[in-house]
Amino acid sequence: MKEDIEKLKDLCQENLKNSYSPYSKIKVTSALKTSSGKTYTGCNIENASFSETICAERVAIFKALSEGEKEISLIYIYSEKGFPPCGPCRQVLSEFAAKDLKVVVASSQGHQVYDFAEIYPNSFSKESFR
Ligand code: ZN
């Protein structure tokens, strides 16, 4: 997993420049690995009408899904201060999370690895409809 984390870190460093964050001035980037082994990146994209802003994590997730991916096994999120994923991103992740999905929250000071099940327990899911 250490190699995967380093690869996603490198992808995030390349992608950070694409953040469109003129309002918050907070640049966030994310890179993920799918269960099929492919990687995708995303960055936060803000909008003057704030509610249309989308987080880096969801950009990466939707890019992967729109290319036919079904499951995410590792996601790396970088911002200077190391913001963890917000509630909506956790909910979207829960729909496509591998059973052992790891979430890496990184900052300029280092990173922390979390089990997704630990940071988003008892999620509302397709199982809720049964
Ligand atoms: Zn979010």
Side-chain angles (χ1 to χ4, degrees):
M1 188 173 72
K2 195 172 180 181
E3 277 181 25
D4 287 336
I5 289 175
E6 286 303 312
K7 182 177 182 182
L8 296 184
K9 179 183 178 181
D10 291 345
L11 290 172
C12 280
Q13 285 174 344
E14 289 172 25
N15 186 250
L16 187 63
K17 66 182 183 304
N18 297 325
S19 167
Y20 180 74
S21 44
Y23 307 104
S24 73
K25 314 273 194 250
I26 298 170
K27 293 180 180 292
V28 185
T29 179
S30 180
L32 62 79
K33 183 180 177 190
T34 64
S35 294
S36 72
K38 290 187 179 170
T39 57
Y40 296 86
T41 59
C43 59
N44 59 330
I45 301 171
E46 296 181 344
N47 191 279
S49 175
F50 290 165
S51 62
E52 281 71 34
T53 292
I54 187 164
C55 302
E57 301 93 305
R58 275 180 283 153
V59 171
I61 294 164
F62 294 150
K63 281 169 72 176
L65 296 172
S66 69
E67 295 297 320
E69 298 295 335
K70 305 289 186 216
E71 193 175 77
I72 296 155
S73 60
L74 178 66
I75 186 164
Y76 188 101
I77 306 151
Y78 174 86
S79 60
E80 190 181 328
K81 293 188 175 179
F83 296 119
C86 72
C89 285
R90 292 179 199 211
Q91 179 60 35
V92 170
L93 263 176
S94 74
E95 187 90 14
F96 306 101
K99 204 173 184 93
D100 60 346
L101 170 65
K102 303 283 190 236
V103 177
V104 183
V105 177
S107 73
S108 56
Q109 306 299 309
H111 72 261
Q112 182 92 36
V113 181
Y114 299 94
D115 287 322
F116 182 66
E118 170 194 352
I119 64 168
Y120 203 58
N122 303 317
S123 64
F124 180 70
S125 71
K126 53 190 160 209
E127 302 302 320
S128 306
F129 290 93
R130 296 196 176 143

